């Protein structure tokens, strides 16, 4: 639960997704990380069952580390061809909306990458997670308005944070050299580790669809409020009907893929890049002790057994 920010935020997310389900709203994850790792983390924290589908990278799309080559046991959480993200998020969303017959005001992308937000202009609504440290109460409340459901209002980011964990943060790691034409977020592979193919999870590239504007010069387009609140528990008959969530730094507090791969500080070696390998690495982390999300450095840190607020690595990553 540490990857999600700890037990309180996991509970907040469960309550929020339960509200959406009660209102008849569908939710899907579209990530540029590995499908299996995302599924494992969400399953461990009791959140996976809320989602219709998880789209992302599968198999050895990001190649393999030595750890990955040594851990080849298959998992039922690995994605299949139907889960593979083969195009930009904008184009995938356009196709998914067409299958459901959704209009622009009936779908929403929730993202921490301004380029992805720009890419869906004219396709669907959007909510920008500007802090890039997981959705806060502000974004959750904005989504409630777009859906047209009423629930307990969630306060915005609060001062302070979870208990201060112990143990030094792993040394920072150099970023990978970006491939030509592939914009990327800061951070990358350490020396000797192959850089990510075009469109790594942190890069979140994807050309804007025909007719859509390029990345904004300033702030990304504001999300549209498309419906007035409905009565509590009422079915959603207006407003957003399907919400597409990014995973890293949108649902999770940290960039799970990058810290597991060693492209950003946060997890000591051994590092993992493949889908199967990252599932095994997450299992190891959850079995290795207690963790808490440290707001000060934005990392998941180990803490002594019995520490108030401590929990699994996966819960802390959710913040």
């Amino acid at each position: 639960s540490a990857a999600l920010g700890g037990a309180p935020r996991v509970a907040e997310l469960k309550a929020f997704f339960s509200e959406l389900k009660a209102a008849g709203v569908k939710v899907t994850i579209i990530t540029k990380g590995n499908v299996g790792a995302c599924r494992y983390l969400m399953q461990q924290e009791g959140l996976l069952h809320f989602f219709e589908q998880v789209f992302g990278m599968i198999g050895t799309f990001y190649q393999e580390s030595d750890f990955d080559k040594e851990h080849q046991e298959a998992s039922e959480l690995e994605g299949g061809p139907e889960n593979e993200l083969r195009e930009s998020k904008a184009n995938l969303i356009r196709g998914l909306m067409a299958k459901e017959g959704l209009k622009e005001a009936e779908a929403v992308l929730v993202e921490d990458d301004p380029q992805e937000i720009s890419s869906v202009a004219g396709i669907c609504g959007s909510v920008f997670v500007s802090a890039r440290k997981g959705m806060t109460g502000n974004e959750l409340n904005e989504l409630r308005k777009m859906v047209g459901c009423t629930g307990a209002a969630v306060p915005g980011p609060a001062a302070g944070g979870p208990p201060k964990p112990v143990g030094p943060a792993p040394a920072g790691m150099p970023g990978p050299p970006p491939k030509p034409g592939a914009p990327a977020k800061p951070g990358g592979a350490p020396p000797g580790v192959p850089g990510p193919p075009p469109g790594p999870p942190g890069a979140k590239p994807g050309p804007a669809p025909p007719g859509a504007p390029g990345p904004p010069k300033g702030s990304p387009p504001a999300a549209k409020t498309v419906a007035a609140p409905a009565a509590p528990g009422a079915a959603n008959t207006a407003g957003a009907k399907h919400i597409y969530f990014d995973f890293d730094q949108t649902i999770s507090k940290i960039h799970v893929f990058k810290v597991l791969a060693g492209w950003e500080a946060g997890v000591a070696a051994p590092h993992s890049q493949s889908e199967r390998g990252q599932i095994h690495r997450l299992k190891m982390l959850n079995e290795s002790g207690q963790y808490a999300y440290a707001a000060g450095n934005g990392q998941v840190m180990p803490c002594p057994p019995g520490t108030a607020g401590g929990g699994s690595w996966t819960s802390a990553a959710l913040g």
Side-chain angles (χ1 to χ4, degrees):
S1 63
L4 300 179
R9 186 165 184 269
V10 172
E12 179 183 56
L13 291 173
K14 284 181 181 178
F16 174 68
F17 292 132
S18 294
E19 281 182 55
L20 297 183
K21 184 175 182 179
V25 178
K26 296 180 180 180
V27 291
T28 291
I29 291 175
I30 305 178
T31 176
K32 288 183 178 174
N34 289 315
V35 169
C38 174
R39 281 176 163 174
Y40 177 83
L41 191 151
M42 298 293 278
Q43 183 187 70
Q44 287 294 296
E45 303 310 322
L47 297 171
L48 184 60
H49 69 280
F50 288 110
F51 293 86
E52 301 287 317
Q53 184 64 285
V54 177
F55 293 97
M57 305 312 176
I58 63 175
T60 57
F61 181 86
Y62 292 109
Q63 303 177 17
E64 294 180 292
S65 67
D66 290 340
F67 174 88
D68 298 331
K69 294 174 182 177
E70 295 169 1
H71 294 80
Q72 293 292 325
E73 299 87 354
S75 168
E76 62 181 9
L77 295 173
E78 294 174 46
E82 69 280 6
N83 303 105
E84 188 174 10
L85 180 62
R86 301 184 181 91
E87 55 190 337
S88 68
K89 290 189 179 184
N91 285 340
L92 174 61
I93 290 171
R94 191 200 304 270
L96 294 173
M97 289 175 62
K99 289 180 180 178
E100 293 187 60
L102 298 178
K103 300 176 182 177
E104 180 179 347
E106 296 175 326
V108 182
L109 171 66
V110 187
E111 256 284 354
D112 71 302
D113 188 326
Q115 290 188 7
E116 296 288 6
I117 291 290
S118 179
S119 75
V120 297
I123 299 175
C124 65
S126 60
V127 170
F128 181 44
V129 184
S130 58
R132 310 190 88 165
K133 292 183 179 180
M135 294 180 291
T136 66
N138 293 335
E139 286 87 36
L140 300 186
N141 290 335
E142 187 174 3
L143 285 166
R144 286 187 177 97
K145 292 178 183 178
M146 299 178 80
V147 165
C149 69
T150 57
V154 179
K164 186 176 181 181
V166 298
M173 295 165 189
K179 293 208 171 185
K185 290 181 184 174
V193 178
K204 302 188 177 181
K217 294 182 180 179
S219 299
K224 301 177 182 179
T225 300
V226 295
N236 178 34
T237 57
K241 297 180 179 179
H242 203 140
I243 303 177
Y244 306 98
F245 290 90
D246 173 46
F247 178 69
D248 287 307
Q249 298 177 322
T250 295
I251 294 178
S252 67
K253 282 281 195 179
I254 63 172
H255 202 299
V256 175
F257 175 88
K258 281 188 173 183
V259 299
L260 292 178
W263 297 357
E264 286 185 356
V267 170
H271 294 122
S272 171
Q273 296 167 227
S274 74
E275 180 184 30
R276 186 171 292 177
Q278 288 197 340
I279 293 173
H280 284 282
R281 190 68 182 99
L282 285 170
K283 289 179 180 178
M284 289 175 60
L285 288 167
N286 272 0
E287 293 169 357
S288 66
Q290 285 197 318
Y291 294 85
Y293 174 74
N297 63 11
Q299 295 181 15
V300 171
M301 303 286 289
C303 57
T307 299
S312 65
W313 193 94
T314 50
S315 74
L318 289 179

PDB file of all heavy atoms in Angstrom, residues 267-294:
ATOM      1  N   VAL A 267      14.176   2.391  -5.298  1.00  0.00           N
ATOM      2  CA  VAL A 267      14.279   0.949  -5.039  1.00  0.00           C
ATOM      3  C   VAL A 267      15.718   0.534  -5.318  1.00  0.00           C
ATOM      4  O   VAL A 267      16.259   0.812  -6.394  1.00  0.00           O
ATOM      5  CB  VAL A 267      13.315   0.137  -5.938  1.00  0.00           C
ATOM      6  CG1 VAL A 267      13.615  -1.357  -5.821  1.00  0.00           C
ATOM      7  CG2 VAL A 267      11.863   0.400  -5.541  1.00  0.00           C
ATOM      8  N   ALA A 268      16.327  -0.122  -4.332  1.00  0.00           N
ATOM      9  CA  ALA A 268      17.698  -0.599  -4.506  1.00  0.00           C
ATOM     10  C   ALA A 268      17.727  -1.800  -5.444  1.00  0.00           C
ATOM     11  O   ALA A 268      16.701  -2.444  -5.691  1.00  0.00           O
ATOM     12  CB  ALA A 268      18.287  -0.974  -3.148  1.00  0.00           C
ATOM     13  N   ALA A 269      18.899  -2.122  -5.970  1.00  0.00           N
ATOM     14  CA  ALA A 269      19.060  -3.296  -6.824  1.00  0.00           C
ATOM     15  C   ALA A 269      18.658  -4.548  -6.043  1.00  0.00           C
ATOM     16  O   ALA A 269      18.758  -4.572  -4.816  1.00  0.00           O
ATOM     17  CB  ALA A 269      20.505  -3.383  -7.297  1.00  0.00           C
ATOM     18  N   PRO A 270      18.193  -5.578  -6.737  1.00  0.00           N
ATOM     19  CA  PRO A 270      18.140  -5.743  -8.190  1.00  0.00           C
ATOM     20  C   PRO A 270      16.974  -4.991  -8.816  1.00  0.00           C
ATOM     21  O   PRO A 270      15.927  -4.829  -8.206  1.00  0.00           O
ATOM     22  CB  PRO A 270      17.956  -7.254  -8.366  1.00  0.00           C
ATOM     23  CG  PRO A 270      17.201  -7.677  -7.138  1.00  0.00           C
ATOM     24  CD  PRO A 270      17.734  -6.824  -6.034  1.00  0.00           C
ATOM     25  N   HIS A 271      17.210  -4.538 -10.045  1.00  0.00           N
ATOM     26  CA  HIS A 271      16.189  -3.797 -10.770  1.00  0.00           C
ATOM     27  C   HIS A 271      15.554  -4.668 -11.851  1.00  0.00           C
ATOM     28  O   HIS A 271      16.124  -5.670 -12.271  1.00  0.00           O
ATOM     29  CB  HIS A 271      16.787  -2.529 -11.382  1.00  0.00           C
ATOM     30  CG  HIS A 271      17.235  -1.555 -10.336  1.00  0.00           C
ATOM     31  ND1 HIS A 271      18.535  -1.104 -10.258  1.00  0.00           N
ATOM     32  CD2 HIS A 271      16.550  -0.967  -9.321  1.00  0.00           C
ATOM     33  CE1 HIS A 271      18.634  -0.265  -9.228  1.00  0.00           C
ATOM     34  NE2 HIS A 271      17.456  -0.170  -8.649  1.00  0.00           N
ATOM     35  N   SER A 272      14.366  -4.251 -12.269  1.00  0.00           N
ATOM     36  CA  SER A 272      13.588  -5.066 -13.196  1.00  0.00           C
ATOM     37  C   SER A 272      12.906  -4.190 -14.238  1.00  0.00           C
ATOM     38  O   SER A 272      12.401  -3.110 -13.922  1.00  0.00           O
ATOM     39  CB  SER A 272      12.534  -5.859 -12.417  1.00  0.00           C
ATOM     40  OG  SER A 272      11.644  -6.503 -13.293  1.00  0.00           O
ATOM     41  N   GLN A 273      12.877  -4.677 -15.486  1.00  0.00           N
ATOM     42  CA  GLN A 273      12.247  -3.936 -16.575  1.00  0.00           C
ATOM     43  C   GLN A 273      11.110  -4.702 -17.247  1.00  0.00           C
ATOM     44  O   GLN A 273      10.203  -4.092 -17.803  1.00  0.00           O
ATOM     45  CB  GLN A 273      13.303  -3.587 -17.642  1.00  0.00           C
ATOM     46  CG  GLN A 273      14.384  -2.652 -17.157  1.00  0.00           C
ATOM     47  CD  GLN A 273      15.563  -2.585 -18.109  1.00  0.00           C
ATOM     48  OE1 GLN A 273      16.710  -2.671 -17.694  1.00  0.00           O
ATOM     49  NE2 GLN A 273      15.301  -2.439 -19.384  1.00  0.00           N
ATOM     50  N   SER A 274      11.170  -6.023 -17.223  1.00  0.00           N
ATOM     51  CA  SER A 274      10.159  -6.806 -17.934  1.00  0.00           C
ATOM     52  C   SER A 274       8.882  -6.913 -17.109  1.00  0.00           C
ATOM     53  O   SER A 274       8.874  -6.705 -15.898  1.00  0.00           O
ATOM     54  CB  SER A 274      10.683  -8.213 -18.242  1.00  0.00           C
ATOM     55  OG  SER A 274      10.711  -9.015 -17.062  1.00  0.00           O
ATOM     56  N   GLU A 275       7.801  -7.253 -17.783  1.00  0.00           N
ATOM     57  CA  GLU A 275       6.519  -7.395 -17.099  1.00  0.00           C
ATOM     58  C   GLU A 275       6.578  -8.492 -16.038  1.00  0.00           C
ATOM     59  O   GLU A 275       6.199  -8.286 -14.882  1.00  0.00           O
ATOM     60  CB  GLU A 275       5.432  -7.715 -18.127  1.00  0.00           C
ATOM     61  CG  GLU A 275       4.049  -7.882 -17.524  1.00  0.00           C
ATOM     62  CD  GLU A 275       3.007  -8.287 -18.561  1.00  0.00           C
ATOM     63  OE1 GLU A 275       3.373  -8.965 -19.556  1.00  0.00           O
ATOM     64  OE2 GLU A 275       1.836  -7.948 -18.364  1.00  0.00           O
ATOM     65  N   ARG A 276       7.065  -9.647 -16.411  1.00  0.00           N
ATOM     66  CA  ARG A 276       7.138 -10.782 -15.482  1.00  0.00           C
ATOM     67  C   ARG A 276       8.099 -10.491 -14.337  1.00  0.00           C
ATOM     68  O   ARG A 276       7.812 -10.757 -13.164  1.00  0.00           O
ATOM     69  CB  ARG A 276       7.567 -12.033 -16.242  1.00  0.00           C
ATOM     70  CG  ARG A 276       7.547 -13.313 -15.443  1.00  0.00           C
ATOM     71  CD  ARG A 276       7.771 -14.512 -16.349  1.00  0.00           C
ATOM     72  NE  ARG A 276       6.640 -14.718 -17.260  1.00  0.00           N
ATOM     73  CZ  ARG A 276       6.593 -15.655 -18.192  1.00  0.00           C
ATOM     74  NH1 ARG A 276       7.627 -16.486 -18.356  1.00  0.00           N
ATOM     75  NH2 ARG A 276       5.526 -15.788 -18.966  1.00  0.00           N
ATOM     76  N   GLY A 277       9.250  -9.911 -14.671  1.00  0.00           N
ATOM     77  CA  GLY A 277      10.247  -9.595 -13.654  1.00  0.00           C
ATOM     78  C   GLY A 277       9.732  -8.587 -12.639  1.00  0.00           C
ATOM     79  O   GLY A 277       9.996  -8.709 -11.435  1.00  0.00           O
ATOM     80  N   GLN A 278       8.976  -7.592 -13.096  1.00  0.00           N
ATOM     81  CA  GLN A 278       8.484  -6.582 -12.166  1.00  0.00           C
ATOM     82  C   GLN A 278       7.434  -7.148 -11.211  1.00  0.00           C
ATOM     83  O   GLN A 278       7.341  -6.717 -10.064  1.00  0.00           O
ATOM     84  CB  GLN A 278       7.938  -5.372 -12.928  1.00  0.00           C
ATOM     85  CG  GLN A 278       9.045  -4.538 -13.568  1.00  0.00           C
ATOM     86  CD  GLN A 278       8.595  -3.150 -13.974  1.00  0.00           C
ATOM     87  OE1 GLN A 278       7.414  -2.875 -14.136  1.00  0.00           O
ATOM     88  NE2 GLN A 278       9.554  -2.253 -14.159  1.00  0.00           N
ATOM     89  N   ILE A 279       6.662  -8.114 -11.662  1.00  0.00           N
ATOM     90  CA  ILE A 279       5.721  -8.771 -10.750  1.00  0.00           C
ATOM     91  C   ILE A 279       6.499  -9.453  -9.628  1.00  0.00           C
ATOM     92  O   ILE A 279       6.157  -9.332  -8.441  1.00  0.00           O
ATOM     93  CB  ILE A 279       4.849  -9.797 -11.505  1.00  0.00           C
ATOM     94  CG1 ILE A 279       3.919  -9.089 -12.499  1.00  0.00           C
ATOM     95  CG2 ILE A 279       4.022 -10.636 -10.520  1.00  0.00           C
ATOM     96  CD1 ILE A 279       3.137 -10.034 -13.409  1.00  0.00           C
ATOM     97  N   HIS A 280       7.577 -10.158  -9.978  1.00  0.00           N
ATOM     98  CA  HIS A 280       8.389 -10.841  -8.963  1.00  0.00           C
ATOM     99  C   HIS A 280       9.060  -9.839  -8.036  1.00  0.00           C
ATOM    100  O   HIS A 280       9.146 -10.065  -6.814  1.00  0.00           O
ATOM    101  CB  HIS A 280       9.441 -11.723  -9.641  1.00  0.00           C
ATOM    102  CG  HIS A 280       8.884 -12.993 -10.200  1.00  0.00           C
ATOM    103  ND1 HIS A 280       8.589 -14.084  -9.417  1.00  0.00           N
ATOM    104  CD2 HIS A 280       8.541 -13.339 -11.461  1.00  0.00           C
ATOM    105  CE1 HIS A 280       8.102 -15.055 -10.176  1.00  0.00           C
ATOM    106  NE2 HIS A 280       8.059 -14.627 -11.424  1.00  0.00           N
ATOM    107  N   ARG A 281       9.538  -8.729  -8.584  1.00  0.00           N
ATOM    108  CA  ARG A 281      10.214  -7.729  -7.745  1.00  0.00           C
ATOM    109  C   ARG A 281       9.231  -7.105  -6.753  1.00  0.00           C
ATOM    110  O   ARG A 281       9.587  -6.843  -5.594  1.00  0.00           O
ATOM    111  CB  ARG A 281      10.839  -6.644  -8.633  1.00  0.00           C
ATOM    112  CG  ARG A 281      11.766  -5.700  -7.864  1.00  0.00           C
ATOM    113  CD  ARG A 281      13.017  -6.420  -7.405  1.00  0.00           C
ATOM    114  NE  ARG A 281      13.905  -5.552  -6.628  1.00  0.00           N
ATOM    115  CZ  ARG A 281      13.959  -5.529  -5.295  1.00  0.00           C
ATOM    116  NH1 ARG A 281      13.181  -6.347  -4.591  1.00  0.00           N
ATOM    117  NH2 ARG A 281      14.789  -4.725  -4.667  1.00  0.00           N
ATOM    118  N   LEU A 282       8.005  -6.856  -7.189  1.00  0.00           N
ATOM    119  CA  LEU A 282       6.992  -6.305  -6.288  1.00  0.00           C
ATOM    120  C   LEU A 282       6.672  -7.285  -5.154  1.00  0.00           C
ATOM    121  O   LEU A 282       6.498  -6.874  -4.000  1.00  0.00           O
ATOM    122  CB  LEU A 282       5.716  -5.969  -7.065  1.00  0.00           C
ATOM    123  CG  LEU A 282       5.781  -4.713  -7.942  1.00  0.00           C
ATOM    124  CD1 LEU A 282       4.557  -4.636  -8.849  1.00  0.00           C
ATOM    125  CD2 LEU A 282       5.881  -3.452  -7.082  1.00  0.00           C
ATOM    126  N   LYS A 283       6.601  -8.573  -5.494  1.00  0.00           N
ATOM    127  CA  LYS A 283       6.362  -9.576  -4.455  1.00  0.00           C
ATOM    128  C   LYS A 283       7.482  -9.544  -3.418  1.00  0.00           C
ATOM    129  O   LYS A 283       7.230  -9.599  -2.207  1.00  0.00           O
ATOM    130  CB  LYS A 283       6.273 -10.978  -5.075  1.00  0.00           C
ATOM    131  CG  LYS A 283       5.020 -11.230  -5.891  1.00  0.00           C
ATOM    132  CD  LYS A 283       5.037 -12.634  -6.475  1.00  0.00           C
ATOM    133  CE  LYS A 283       3.789 -12.916  -7.308  1.00  0.00           C
ATOM    134  NZ  LYS A 283       3.840 -14.278  -7.923  1.00  0.00           N
ATOM    135  N   MET A 284       8.715  -9.449  -3.882  1.00  0.00           N
ATOM    136  CA  MET A 284       9.865  -9.401  -2.979  1.00  0.00           C
ATOM    137  C   MET A 284       9.793  -8.188  -2.063  1.00  0.00           C
ATOM    138  O   MET A 284      10.046  -8.277  -0.856  1.00  0.00           O
ATOM    139  CB  MET A 284      11.163  -9.379  -3.784  1.00  0.00           C
ATOM    140  CG  MET A 284      11.517 -10.676  -4.472  1.00  0.00           C
ATOM    141  SD  MET A 284      13.001 -10.520  -5.518  1.00  0.00           S
ATOM    142  CE  MET A 284      14.232 -10.026  -4.311  1.00  0.00           C
ATOM    143  N   LEU A 285       9.439  -7.046  -2.623  1.00  0.00           N
ATOM    144  CA  LEU A 285       9.352  -5.827  -1.823  1.00  0.00           C
ATOM    145  C   LEU A 285       8.265  -5.939  -0.762  1.00  0.00           C
ATOM    146  O   LEU A 285       8.463  -5.533   0.390  1.00  0.00           O
ATOM    147  CB  LEU A 285       9.093  -4.622  -2.732  1.00  0.00           C
ATOM    148  CG  LEU A 285      10.270  -4.174  -3.600  1.00  0.00           C
ATOM    149  CD1 LEU A 285       9.811  -3.203  -4.680  1.00  0.00           C
ATOM    150  CD2 LEU A 285      11.357  -3.534  -2.731  1.00  0.00           C
ATOM    151  N   ASN A 286       7.125  -6.496  -1.131  1.00  0.00           N
ATOM    152  CA  ASN A 286       6.035  -6.635  -0.155  1.00  0.00           C
ATOM    153  C   ASN A 286       6.385  -7.603   0.962  1.00  0.00           C
ATOM    154  O   ASN A 286       5.871  -7.499   2.074  1.00  0.00           O
ATOM    155  CB  ASN A 286       4.753  -7.089  -0.852  1.00  0.00           C
ATOM    156  CG  ASN A 286       3.930  -5.924  -1.365  1.00  0.00           C
ATOM    157  OD1 ASN A 286       4.284  -4.764  -1.209  1.00  0.00           O
ATOM    158  ND2 ASN A 286       2.809  -6.243  -2.000  1.00  0.00           N
ATOM    159  N   GLU A 287       7.271  -8.556   0.653  1.00  0.00           N
ATOM    160  CA  GLU A 287       7.661  -9.550   1.649  1.00  0.00           C
ATOM    161  C   GLU A 287       8.860  -9.106   2.486  1.00  0.00           C
ATOM    162  O   GLU A 287       9.249  -9.783   3.432  1.00  0.00           O
ATOM    163  CB  GLU A 287       7.997 -10.875   0.959  1.00  0.00           C
ATOM    164  CG  GLU A 287       6.788 -11.542   0.304  1.00  0.00           C
ATOM    165  CD  GLU A 287       7.170 -12.704  -0.607  1.00  0.00           C
ATOM    166  OE1 GLU A 287       8.397 -12.950  -0.763  1.00  0.00           O
ATOM    167  OE2 GLU A 287       6.256 -13.362  -1.146  1.00  0.00           O
ATOM    168  N   SER A 288       9.447  -7.960   2.142  1.00  0.00           N
ATOM    169  CA  SER A 288      10.707  -7.559   2.769  1.00  0.00           C
ATOM    170  C   SER A 288      10.547  -6.686   4.003  1.00  0.00           C
ATOM    171  O   SER A 288      11.538  -6.343   4.642  1.00  0.00           O
ATOM    172  CB  SER A 288      11.579  -6.816   1.742  1.00  0.00           C
ATOM    173  OG  SER A 288      10.969  -5.589   1.363  1.00  0.00           O
ATOM    174  N   GLY A 289       9.322  -6.291   4.349  1.00  0.00           N
ATOM    175  CA  GLY A 289       9.149  -5.458   5.534  1.00  0.00           C
ATOM    176  C   GLY A 289       8.064  -4.426   5.339  1.00  0.00           C
ATOM    177  O   GLY A 289       7.224  -4.533   4.436  1.00  0.00           O
ATOM    178  N   GLN A 290       8.085  -3.395   6.197  1.00  0.00           N
ATOM    179  CA  GLN A 290       7.096  -2.332   6.136  1.00  0.00           C
ATOM    180  C   GLN A 290       7.670  -1.084   5.480  1.00  0.00           C
ATOM    181  O   GLN A 290       8.867  -0.799   5.590  1.00  0.00           O
ATOM    182  CB  GLN A 290       6.594  -1.983   7.541  1.00  0.00           C
ATOM    183  CG  GLN A 290       5.636  -3.004   8.128  1.00  0.00           C
ATOM    184  CD  GLN A 290       4.879  -2.425   9.301  1.00  0.00           C
ATOM    185  OE1 GLN A 290       5.440  -1.735  10.143  1.00  0.00           O
ATOM    186  NE2 GLN A 290       3.591  -2.718   9.383  1.00  0.00           N
ATOM    187  N   TYR A 291       6.769  -0.339   4.823  1.00  0.00           N
ATOM    188  CA  TYR A 291       7.180   0.882   4.109  1.00  0.00           C
ATOM    189  C   TYR A 291       6.155   1.981   4.337  1.00  0.00           C
ATOM    190  O   TYR A 291       5.009   1.723   4.730  1.00  0.00           O
ATOM    191  CB  TYR A 291       7.286   0.606   2.607  1.00  0.00           C
ATOM    192  CG  TYR A 291       8.377  -0.364   2.222  1.00  0.00           C
ATOM    193  CD1 TYR A 291       8.156  -1.741   2.263  1.00  0.00           C
ATOM    194  CD2 TYR A 291       9.637   0.088   1.833  1.00  0.00           C
ATOM    195  CE1 TYR A 291       9.164  -2.635   1.916  1.00  0.00           C
ATOM    196  CE2 TYR A 291      10.641  -0.800   1.481  1.00  0.00           C
ATOM    197  CZ  TYR A 291      10.403  -2.160   1.523  1.00  0.00           C
ATOM    198  OH  TYR A 291      11.396  -3.036   1.189  1.00  0.00           O
ATOM    199  N   ALA A 292       6.593   3.219   4.067  1.00  0.00           N
ATOM    200  CA  ALA A 292       5.685   4.364   4.117  1.00  0.00           C
ATOM    201  C   ALA A 292       6.114   5.347   3.033  1.00  0.00           C
ATOM    202  O   ALA A 292       7.298   5.417   2.674  1.00  0.00           O
ATOM    203  CB  ALA A 292       5.716   5.035   5.485  1.00  0.00           C
ATOM    204  N   TYR A 293       5.155   6.074   2.507  1.00  0.00           N
ATOM    205  CA  TYR A 293       5.453   7.108   1.513  1.00  0.00           C
ATOM    206  C   TYR A 293       5.946   8.352   2.233  1.00  0.00           C
ATOM    207  O   TYR A 293       5.289   8.864   3.141  1.00  0.00           O
ATOM    208  CB  TYR A 293       4.214   7.433   0.691  1.00  0.00           C
ATOM    209  CG  TYR A 293       4.411   8.596  -0.267  1.00  0.00           C
ATOM    210  CD1 TYR A 293       5.165   8.429  -1.426  1.00  0.00           C
ATOM    211  CD2 TYR A 293       3.856   9.839   0.009  1.00  0.00           C
ATOM    212  CE1 TYR A 293       5.362   9.491  -2.300  1.00  0.00           C
ATOM    213  CE2 TYR A 293       4.051  10.906  -0.869  1.00  0.00           C
ATOM    214  CZ  TYR A 293       4.799  10.724  -2.013  1.00  0.00           C
ATOM    215  OH  TYR A 293       4.994  11.788  -2.868  1.00  0.00           O
ATOM    216  N   ALA A 294       7.125   8.844   1.835  1.00  0.00           N
ATOM    217  CA  ALA A 294       7.707  10.042   2.437  1.00  0.00           C
ATOM    218  C   ALA A 294       7.450  11.227   1.528  1.00  0.00           C
ATOM    219  O   ALA A 294       8.040  11.327   0.445  1.00  0.00           O
ATOM    220  CB  ALA A 294       9.207   9.840   2.652  1.00  0.00           C
TER     221      ALA A 294
END
